[in-house]
Every structure is written in C-alpha cells, then in structure tokens.
C-alpha cells in the first residue's frame, strides 16, 4: 500500500503515539491530577489526527490521484475515500 | 463547481442549518435551559459535518476522480483536497 | 439561565454564525470553488465550537460551581453537564 | 485523584487503547489496505474519546460537584474543567 519511506514515517508516528499512551497510563497509575491526564489524552488525540491525515493523504496520492491508475482502480480508491470521509464526519 | 442537482441539494442543507441557527437564537432569547441550547448547538454541528462531507464528496468526484480530467486538473484537485484534510485534522 | 451580559455575548456569537452561514450560501450560489466553500464551512465550525465552549462554561459557573447552589441544584447541574460531555465525545 | 475502582476502569480503557494501537502498527507492517488502517485508527479515536469522557466525568464529580468540597476547592476544580473545555473546543 505504501512506499517503504512512507511506511517508515507512518510506523514512527504510530510508535510515538504508543509511547504517549504509556505516559497516560503512568500518569493514571501515579495519580497525577486530572488536568495532567486530560492534557496527555488531548496530546494523543492530536497525534492520532496527524496520523490519520497522513494515511488519508497517502491514499489520495496513491489510489485516487496517481496518473498511472486505471479508471477502475481510481473509482475504487475514490469510493474508499468517500467512505472514510463519511464515517469521519458523521 | 457543481451540477445543478448537487447545488440544489447543498443549498437545501445550508438553509436547514440557517433555520437551526435561528432556533438556537430563539432558545437563547427565551432563556431555555443550557441543556436545550447545547443540544440544539450539537444538532447544528452534526448538520454542518454532513454538509462538509457532501461538499468534500462532490469535490472528490468532480475534481479528483472524474475520468475526464487532465493530469494537471487532477493534481490540482488532489492538492486542494489534501489541504482540506490537513486543515480539518489539525 | 444567563446574566443579561452573558446572554448578549452569546446572542452576538449566534448572529455572527448566521452571517457566516449566509456567506456559505452565497459562495454556493455564486459557484465559488470547493476550496473556498470548505474554508467557509470550517470557519462556521470553529465559531460553533466557540459558542458551545461559552455555553458550557456559563453552565459550569452558574449551575455546578456557584457557591450559592443547593446540593440538589448542583447535582442536577452536574448531571446535565455529564450528559453533554458524553454526547459530545461519543 | 480517583477512587481505586475508577482508577482500575480507566487503566483498563488505557490498556485496551494500547492494544488497538498495536493492531494499527501490525496493519501497517503487514501492508493491509488503507481502508483497513483508517478504520482501525477511527476505532482508536473513538476509544480515546470514551476515555476522555470518563476522566472528565470523574473530574466533575470529584472536583466540582462533590458536596464535601470547600468553596475554594470547587472554584479550582471548575477553573480546570473550563480550561479543558476551551482547549478541546478550540
């Protein structure tokens, strides 16, 4: 699905998010205040949105916009993208 | 930008949202409870997301996926779409 | 539900949002590009979030945190607030 | 910050989310399609919103609504809550 370089970038983002979730876990275990915990959760949410934006962007470039795609491949890529947009905005 | 039929559907959505905002205004003027006002605002937000999903979907179909587009038009449509995704998810 | 000053601030926000929705409608009628329309919709969404934040804030101050509330009033205000948080985050 | 029972529930949610992130990582490593990856990310996002809702709810109950709080403690809890609402909705 992705070029090797893209894949590596995405995996790095995923690992960072896993690290952030571990920090949320520690903050709860150590009974840090709610404000601290909520700020960390908001941070994970931001990072997750960034990951999603990057995956969607890759999808657009490789499965919808790429000049080499056949008409059928492009239609399929567009339909998948529209499903994602609808799921996300509903 | 849109077919006449699409344009009409979008304008109907916009007018419904305007009507919902008028109801929010009346709820505030009549000093309805916060719960009522917040529920109405949440309703507008849902309708706005639906409108955005539909405009994005039209954009994908007409400016990125359409088989008649030139490579240049498609690239431009994809770049605009990626800008929207980034703005929305950040 | 709100002090007169608060109510006026909220109504001003609502009227600004109605004006922004009218601009979305004109942009669709004039067949402006998708990018322009989407940017305007994103603007309305931001303004709507600001309105919601302000109504929630007023609710917290007047119906949950206010030192004059009876225990029962405060419980009710907190329950309403929790309903809003759940509806919003689900 | 939380009762032992609440803390355990929150930690269970956090661990489930960490498991979901591992599944996202595997889906990327195994080069599953974008649609699969995006659906998994959307799942994490939903679970994260659920976690946030629960932490906010606990905060409201323990630091804003609790009848045992002093006026000062309640004011502080309300101010923290308002900060969270603003950060989240902006």
């Amino acid at each position: 699905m992705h070029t090797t370089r893209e894949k590596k970038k995405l995996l790095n983002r995923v690992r960072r998010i896993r690290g952030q979730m571990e920090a949320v876990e520690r903050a709860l275990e150590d009974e840090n205040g709610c404000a601290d915990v909520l700020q960390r959760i908001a941070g994970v949410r931001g990072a997750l949105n960034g990951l999603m934006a990057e995956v969607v962007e890759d999808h657009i470039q490789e499965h919808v916009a790429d000049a080499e795609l056949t008409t059928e491949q492009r239609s399929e890529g567009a339909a998948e993208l529209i499903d994602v947009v609808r799921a996300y905005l509903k």
Side-chain angles (χ1 to χ4, degrees), chain A:
Chain A
M1 132 205 193
H2 298 289
T3 63
T4 313
R5 197 166 142 268
E6 255 315 311
K7 188 175 160 179
K8 208 174 156 187
K9 270 175 66 184
L10 293 173
L11 282 170
N12 283 342
R13 276 184 187 264
V14 170
R15 282 165 198 150
R16 253 196 321 272
I17 294 172
R18 287 183 52 190
Q20 286 173 288
M21 277 311 297
E22 284 163 30
V24 170
E25 188 168 348
R26 277 195 304 277
L28 282 168
E29 269 169 352
D30 297 353
E31 319 216 344
N32 290 10
C34 294
D36 175 71
V37 172
L38 286 168
Q39 209 170 342
R40 287 179 194 282
I41 297 174
V44 178
R45 192 170 161 267
L48 204 62
N49 279 344
L51 173 64
M52 188 171 251
E54 194 154 330
V55 176
V56 171
E57 184 176 334
D58 290 353
H59 179 80
I60 294 168
Q61 279 167 340
E62 293 167 39
H63 300 291
V64 191
D66 193 308
E68 311 285 300
L69 295 169
T70 64
T71 301
E72 204 185 319
Q73 288 174 319
R74 182 170 291 125
S75 290
E76 205 190 313
E80 278 181 8
L81 180 60
I82 288 169
D83 283 350
V84 167
V85 169
R86 280 193 194 144
Y88 197 87
L89 287 172
K90 254 141 229 183

